Amino acid sequence: MRFLGHSTMRMELAGTVVLTDPILTGRVGPLRRVGPPPVPGDYADADLVLISHLHADHLHVRSLRKLPPTALVVVPAGAGHWLRGRGIRRVAELAPGKEIVVGDLRVTGVPAKHSGHRWGPRSTRGPQAQAMGHLLETPDGRVYVSGDTDLFPGMAELAEPRIDVALLPVWGWGTSLGPGHLDPVRAAEAVALLRPRVAVPVHWGTLALAGLTRVPGGPGARMRRLLVEPPHEFAAAVAGGTTAVVLARPGAEVALTSPAPGPVGS
């Protein structure tokens, strides 16, 4: 695994290169990337792309256009026609409880508690499709990719057989979180429900409103802190249990070699 920033993870599973919610550019609307964007070597060989929901920082059309045309882009059920209309041709739809199989990799849609509307929970125009997570299973293990979500009781139902790696959001791109998100403490509560062997914090340290990080004091100082601290707060909240937390900065490999419980990496 390589954490490419925000909710984008590159995974090589059962001979398949998987990308989650790819953000591959230096900007997403009014948001700017902190640090350099991924390089083509991170995504040019992608086989399978999993989209959790329609928000532009997860379904980013400019980033999808950078991928090879052979990559299969899997979107929530009902969003396929909208995405094909924007030039992405190899598209499949998935819903919670349904599955797609690519070689020895099985991907099952699972629920998420998050707005599924393209323009956010208060909009009534534009495309809408149910937000979701993904459970990836190979002969060697199980990976849970939550997508953006708040806590929901069904998380506990995913815990058996045991999840090997859970990718969980711990913040976002602003100085506050709207509904349907996990902060570090609530992400630790999700770990208690899921009981994975390893938890990897995502959805942090990557995007901020243009210019905000340069504002002295006040919101600028808070944004600078929130680009760094959430995964460490998450690791501290999880510490003492049976789940190991593996920290990886955006752009870094995720070190999954037999970690012991407690934070690993930097």
Side-chain angles (χ1 to χ4, degrees), residues 179-195:
H181 292 90
L182 297 174
D183 62 16
V185 172
R186 290 178 70 77
E189 293 177 28
V191 167
L193 293 173
L194 294 161
R195 305 191 305 276

Side-chain angles (χ1 to χ4, degrees), residues 229-245:
E229 293 184 0
H232 299 281
E233 294 174 359
F234 168 69
V238 172
T242 61
T243 296
V245 175

